[in-house]
Amino acid sequence: MSFSNILSKFSKPSNDPQKQQIIENLLREIWGFASPHAVPKAKAASCLYHYENLLTNRQLLDEQNTSLHDSNTQSSDVIALVQYLKQNSQTSIADIRDYLKRSPPHWLLNPQSQEVLDSILNFCVRLWLFSRPDLSDSNGTLQEAVRKPFANFNRPPNAWLWLEFSEKTLRERGNFHFTYTSDISEHLTFASRSIIRVFCHASVMERYEMTDDGKLYPPGLLPEIRRTLNLLWPIEDVHTAKHVYHLEKQQEVDIEAGMGHEEKFDLRLYPFFGERLAKIQERLESAEHRRTNSRGLQIAIWGIVLTASFGLVSAITGVMQLEISRLEE
């Protein structure tokens, strides 16, 4: 969905300033952009698409239990609930559910159902923090519910990435393609054999690193997301920076991330995503091996063809020489 299509759902007609205010409020109140007008179009579009995608997800907001489907009229209700969660991140999941039962939003049609309440909590947390909370422990806090899924990430191997490891190398030498996700848990996973998912809200994560929002994640997660994005697109390189600029405009994503002078090729520096990077490199090595074998086979075939051709030419030349000799006799 393009930015213009998103704005057609969110933006105002020229005589309706209220709808334009909705866009600004979402950027300011949920994702913390103090000056929404200053947010580049592609980066704003990535956030708005994230909101619209969740809003139309019927597994989260089915029409029998909620009426939250009109993005123009209901965004203030969403903001209010997200703000409540921000202020109660240390509150238990049970107490949050009780609060929603006692004071349900008017769009919540069945507030007595725990399944429905958990769907709403999932919706709000995924919108706000781009992650899927684990709500299985009613006595645990919201912060613990956010952190729990990341505890299942496997530790990285004691190995190094190629020094030329990047999106360009993966694309040109491994024939990999990239798709973009708003779910941190999907970052650097494979959508198919040759398609890699990449998290696409770098600016929000950079802001969260400096605010209380970032404290809800496991320590070190947000800087590691930034490092992996810079690993793929090292914007310190002028050509890469230009490529990222055009890519963000074309795809309406937010992937630009700096990392200073940190070491970035040691997989042990990626406790959350190191194993995934190792798997990507393993497939890159396999693709490189197949390409080398293919080149070897091509060279062998051309060698056979050339040898056969030279042999045929030699045979024809010999026959012609014999024929010429016979005629001269």
Side-chain angles (χ1 to χ4, degrees):
M1 183 183 295
S2 69
F3 181 75
S4 59
N5 287 337
I6 293 171
L7 288 186
S8 70
K9 296 186 176 185
F10 287 89
S11 61
K12 61 174 182 63
S14 58
N15 60 349
D16 189 356
Q18 181 182 2
K19 291 187 178 181
Q20 180 63 29
Q21 191 64 49
I22 290 171
I23 301 174
E24 296 175 6
N25 288 343
L26 288 169
L27 291 171
R28 182 186 298 108
E29 304 298 336
I30 292 183
W31 299 296
F33 292 99
S35 302
H37 289 296
V39 178
K41 183 183 292 187
K43 299 178 188 298
S46 67
C47 286
L48 293 171
Y49 176 75
H50 170 54
Y51 174 61
E52 181 70 12
N53 190 46
L54 288 176
L55 199 63
T56 56
N57 185 336
R58 293 298 178 260
Q59 291 182 341
L60 289 175
L61 303 174
D62 67 89
E63 295 178 344
Q64 293 181 343
N65 294 302
T66 68
S67 61
L68 188 63
H69 305 295
D70 183 348
S71 57
N72 285 326
T73 60
Q74 306 287 356
S75 62
S76 60
D77 300 317
V78 173
I79 290 172
L81 187 49
V82 171
Q83 291 292 349
Y84 167 78
L85 295 178
K86 287 188 177 191
Q87 296 165 9
N88 290 272
S89 61
Q90 301 305 317
T91 301
S92 72
I93 299 301
D95 287 345
I96 292 175
R97 288 174 181 146
D98 288 341
Y99 168 81
L100 290 176
K101 289 178 181 179
R102 295 193 310 269
S103 305
H106 66 85
W107 44 266
L108 186 55
L109 306 181
N110 187 9
Q112 302 307 312
S113 167
Q114 180 174 316
E115 183 179 355
V116 174
L117 294 177
D118 286 356
S119 293
I120 297 302
L121 289 176
N122 257 290
F123 167 78
C124 290
V125 172
R126 289 172 65 178
L127 176 64
W128 166 31
L129 298 173
F130 304 89
S131 63
R132 301 168 185 257
D134 183 341
L135 304 174
S136 59
D137 182 4
S138 297
N139 295 319
T141 65
L142 179 60
Q143 181 187 57
E144 291 169 343
V146 171
R147 290 186 175 189
K148 189 181 297 185
F150 298 104
N152 298 324
F153 281 37
N154 294 325
R155 306 302 293 179
N158 184 6
W160 289 71
L161 294 167
W162 292 0
L163 295 181
E164 63 269 34
F165 187 96
S166 67
E167 178 263 353
K168 180 180 180 181
T169 300
L170 291 166
R171 176 167 39 85
E172 294 181 352
R173 293 169 58 178
N175 198 30
F176 289 101
H177 304 279
F178 294 83
T179 187
Y180 302 97
T181 178
S182 295
D183 188 339
I184 294 175
S185 68
E186 293 181 343
H187 183 48
L188 299 178
T189 59
F190 282 93
S192 68
R193 180 71 188 176
S194 61
I195 299 178
I196 301 170
R197 299 185 185 95
V198 175
F199 183 70
C200 66
H201 299 280
S203 296
V204 179
M205 296 297 101
E206 183 177 356
R207 195 201 70 81
Y208 280 4
E209 283 189 60
M210 301 178 290
T211 67
D212 288 341
D213 295 291
K215 296 177 181 178
L216 274 76
Y217 299 98
L221 176 66
L222 300 189
E224 187 170 328
I225 293 172
R226 171 170 50 82
R227 290 201 302 272
T228 58
L229 290 174
N230 185 268
L231 181 67
L232 292 172
W233 292 281
I235 58 173
E236 296 81 11
D237 175 74
V238 174
H239 297 291
T240 302
K242 289 181 179 179
H243 173 59
V244 168
Y245 173 77
H246 292 296
L247 188 61
E248 287 192 336
K249 288 187 66 177
Q250 293 169 0
Q251 300 292 329
E252 294 178 338
V253 293
D254 182 6
I255 55 174
E256 180 182 353
M259 67 172 295
H261 300 287
E262 302 170 74
E263 177 57 65
K264 60 180 180 180
F265 297 106
D266 186 348
L267 283 173
R268 292 172 298 179
L269 298 175
Y270 301 93
F272 295 100
F273 301 105
E275 186 189 45
R276 296 179 181 185
L277 289 169
K279 186 175 182 180
I280 291 172
Q281 176 158 281
E282 180 182 334
R283 292 198 183 181
L284 174 61
E285 291 172 346
S286 296
E288 190 87 337
H289 182 67
R290 289 194 302 270
R291 188 173 68 164
T292 300
N293 288 344
S294 177
R295 284 180 178 176
L297 179 60
Q298 290 176 1
I299 292 172
I301 291 173
W302 276 110
I304 293 172
V305 170
L306 290 174
T307 300
S309 299
F310 284 132
L312 180 61
V313 170
S314 298
I316 293 174
T317 301
V319 171
M320 292 178 65
Q321 289 175 343
L322 287 174
E323 185 65 20
I324 290 171
S325 299
R326 189 183 64 81
L327 292 175
E328 289 178 348
E329 294 175 356

